[in-house]
């Protein structure tokens, strides 16, 4: 009992002692004698190195505004100003909260102002601190671009020393986050200024310069096209990148150089069959996926490789037979830690916490690998437990893993073979339907695209999906603000209506409602229009169905089709001619279905079709069809003539 009583006051006194010494440091910053102030700052510098508690105390006690004041005073000696910058840099090395406090005290404009001084040692101290502040995730990168004179000034400081080169390129690499940032840096000569740094004697400078190029080139055709023509010491830039991917170079360098070439290739500056892509970049990225590599390297390697070959079937084929990539990716689910990290407990713990990033990367790469080639898809689904892994990925807590898993599923669902076999065997549609209940838009787009494929007529999943009440869900998608979701909703309904029972068709019309059908027929997105006409065509594909649907909704359906045939929407349609003809063709198909009057080859004018034909004449259809028989597009012209003949039969 006594021991407890003693302990509490003791702890308080230790704390107050720390605060007292901290206060003593801050008090000395206000000493009237400049020499004492300088000594105070130097002592403070030594006290805070590696001591986060002390850093936090000094910040709480208000050291930062005073240090910034001294840093900016023209009456302060250069030595004092430099020591202030060094202490501020040290405070910034602490926690994220420290950085927040520094940014709130307007440290960034103060340090940027300091860069106008001519003294190199002071400039380097300011840049080192700026670098530390800017690479923190809590600092708004926009602060680098607020004053338009800053970027050109930083460019001019690049030639001063290896330190200025390292810090400035690191700041650029971290603060280039948007196309606007890329443009600002590009316009201020980033490429010409940074290219020579790729052959700097300093590894740190070379590495940061390389990172700059990867963020500048990402999805940027202007930068990528310029990079192709840049020479560094007489050598093409792409060759410098190739050299940096050699196996004896540090992994970080190999990976970043591979990213630069990947981005240049995706932006169209390097062709996908170029040797530096096929023989160098692709194999380098595949090497990064090996289980010898660290988790971050495997994640980045797989994601970059997925991006590189996404649009190109040849690269997908080459990758699929390089170094057993397909089975190497299976290890992403089994071994979160690299072979080399087994002895490192901290590393193992870190890797377990980040294992989901590996799964996400593997799904993305599988999706990319399997997006075109049937044999590769087969190879993927035959990899151990692959379908089970995808199914469990669809319900993981991480949204990124769910998205990547559904992307992978979508890629595999393009295969008739897989839809008929592994998709059916693993009842993939169940978790997919669950995913559609309340997901963010990007997941919904992928999941609904996959559902469209599962609803194709030869897919064994079509029946159970129909029984699970999917129609309401798809109808609600057609009301989405996102055009992609409207297209997918109506597309899935179109697939569902193809050769479907009368019951299903009537249910679709009922759930969608004629109001919504018309809204979709005047949708600003031409793809939505096309799929809606496709849906109509599938709904009106057999005579009994036509008569039943037309008797309840005939007038509205005819009005809608007339609207399209008269081409009133052509203004919105960007590629007018092409899309317009496609739409009118689809509409004429609908009309043909409406006037269709034969069954089993027997010419038979039934009451239903006679009535429909009269209605059509009344609504001016015959005139429109007649006009279309003079259309310039031969397909449309033929279709209209056929419809006219059917009509007159």
């Amino acid at each position: 009992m006594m021991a407890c009583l003693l302990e509490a006051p003791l702890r308080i006194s230790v704390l107050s002692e720390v605060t007292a010494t901290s206060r003593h440091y801050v008090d000395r910053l206000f000493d009237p004698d400049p020499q004492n102030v300088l000594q105070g700052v130097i002592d403070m510098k030594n006290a805070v190195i590696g001591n986060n508690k002390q850093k936090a105390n000094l910040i709480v006690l208000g050291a930062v505004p005073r240090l910034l004041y001294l840093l900016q005073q023209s009456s302060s000696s250069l030595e004092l100003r430099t020591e202030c910058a060094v202490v501020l840099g040290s405070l910034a090395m602490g926690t994220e909260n420290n950085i927040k406090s520094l940014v709130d005290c307007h440290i960034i404009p103060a340090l940027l102002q300091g860069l106008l001084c001519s003294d190199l040692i002071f400039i380097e101290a300011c840049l080192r601190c700026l670098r530390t502040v800017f690479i923190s995730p809590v600092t708004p990168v926009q602060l680098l671009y607020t004053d338009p004179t800053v970027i050109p000034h930083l460019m001019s400081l690049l030639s001063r020393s290896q330190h200025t080169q390292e810090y400035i390129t690191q700041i650029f690499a971290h603060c280039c986050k948007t196309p606007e940032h890329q443009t600002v840096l590009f316009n201020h000569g980033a490429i010409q200024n940074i290219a020579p740094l790729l052959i700097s004697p300093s590894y740190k400078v070379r590495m940061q310069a390389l990172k700059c190029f990867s963020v500048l080139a990402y999805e940027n055709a202007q930068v990528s096209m310029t990079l192709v023509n840049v020479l560094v010491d007489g050598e093409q830039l792409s060759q410098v990148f190739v050299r940096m991917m050699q196996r004896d170079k540090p992994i970080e360098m190999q990976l970043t150089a591979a990213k630069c070439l990947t981005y240049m290739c995706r932006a169209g500056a390097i062709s996908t069959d170029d040797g530096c892509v096929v023989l160098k970049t692709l194999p380098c990225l595949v090497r990064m996926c090996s289980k010898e590599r660290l988790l971050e390297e495997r994640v980045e390697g797989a994601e970059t490789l997925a991006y590189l070959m996404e649009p190109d079937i040849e690269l997908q084929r080459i990758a699929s037979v390089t170094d057993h990539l397909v089975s190497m990716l299976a290890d992403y689910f089994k071994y979160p830690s690299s072979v080399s990290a087994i002895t490192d407990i901290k590393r193992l713990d870190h890797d377990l916490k980040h294992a989901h990033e590996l799964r996400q990367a593997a799904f993305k790469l599988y999706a990319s690998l399997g997006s075109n080639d049937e044999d590769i898809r087969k190879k993927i689904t035959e990899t151990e437990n692959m379908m089970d892994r995808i199914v469990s990925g669809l319900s993981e807590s991480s949204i990124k893993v769910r998205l990547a898993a559904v992307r992978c599923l979508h890629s595999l669902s393009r295969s008739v073979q897989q839809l008929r076999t592994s998709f059916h065997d693993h009842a993939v549609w169940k978790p997919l339907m669950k995913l559609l209940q309340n997901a963010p838009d990007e997941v919904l787009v992928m999941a609904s695209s996959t559902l469209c494929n599962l609803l194709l007529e030869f897919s064994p999943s079509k029946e159970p999906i129909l029984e699970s009440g999917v129609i309401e869900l798809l109808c609600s998608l057609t009301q989405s603000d996102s055009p992609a979701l409207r297209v997918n909703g109506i597309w899935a309904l179109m697939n569902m209506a193809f050769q479907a029972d009368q019951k299903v068709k009537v249910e679709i019309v009922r759930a969608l409602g004629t109001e919504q059908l018309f809204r979709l027929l005047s949708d600003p997105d031409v793809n939505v229009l096309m799929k809606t006409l496709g849906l109509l065509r599938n709904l009106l594909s057999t005579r009994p169905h036509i008569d039943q649907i037309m008797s309840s909704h005939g007038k509205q359906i005819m009005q809608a089709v007339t609207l399209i045939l008269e081409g009133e929407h052509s203004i919105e349609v960007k590629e007018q001619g092409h899309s317009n003809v496609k739409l009118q063709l689809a509409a004429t198909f609908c009309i043909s279905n409406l006037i269709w009057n034969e069954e089993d080859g027997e010419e038979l004018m039934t009451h239903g079709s006679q009535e429909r034909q009269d209605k059509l004449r009344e609504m001016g259809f015959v005139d429109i069809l007649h006009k279309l028989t003079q259309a310039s597009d031969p397909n449309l012209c033929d279709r209209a003539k056929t419809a006219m003949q059917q009509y007159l039969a």
Side-chain angles (χ1 to χ4, degrees), residues 362-375:
F363 284 140
K364 275 188 186 168
L365 187 41
Y366 277 137
S368 188
L369 269 171
S371 53
N372 294 294
D373 185 287
E374 196 56 44
D375 295 333

Side-chain angles (χ1 to χ4, degrees), residues 183-195:
T183 304
V184 171
L185 291 167
F186 177 82
N187 289 343
H188 284 108
I191 293 178
Q192 305 82 299
N193 284 303
I194 298 172

Side-chain angles (χ1 to χ4, degrees), residues 519-562:
R519 234 174 274 134
L520 293 166
L521 281 169
S522 51
D523 196 280
D525 188 302
V526 67
N527 293 317
V528 175
L529 272 177
M530 291 298 295
K531 295 292 176 250
T532 309
L533 283 167
L535 169 64
L536 261 179
R537 190 172 145 187
N538 288 348
L539 289 172
L540 306 172
S541 58
T542 65
R543 254 226 345 265
H545 296 179
I546 297 176
D547 286 342
Q548 187 177 353
I549 290 172
M550 291 308 282
S551 64
S552 47
H553 307 294
K555 196 160 181 342
Q556 296 102 312
I557 288 178
M558 288 185 176
Q559 277 167 342
V561 180
T562 316

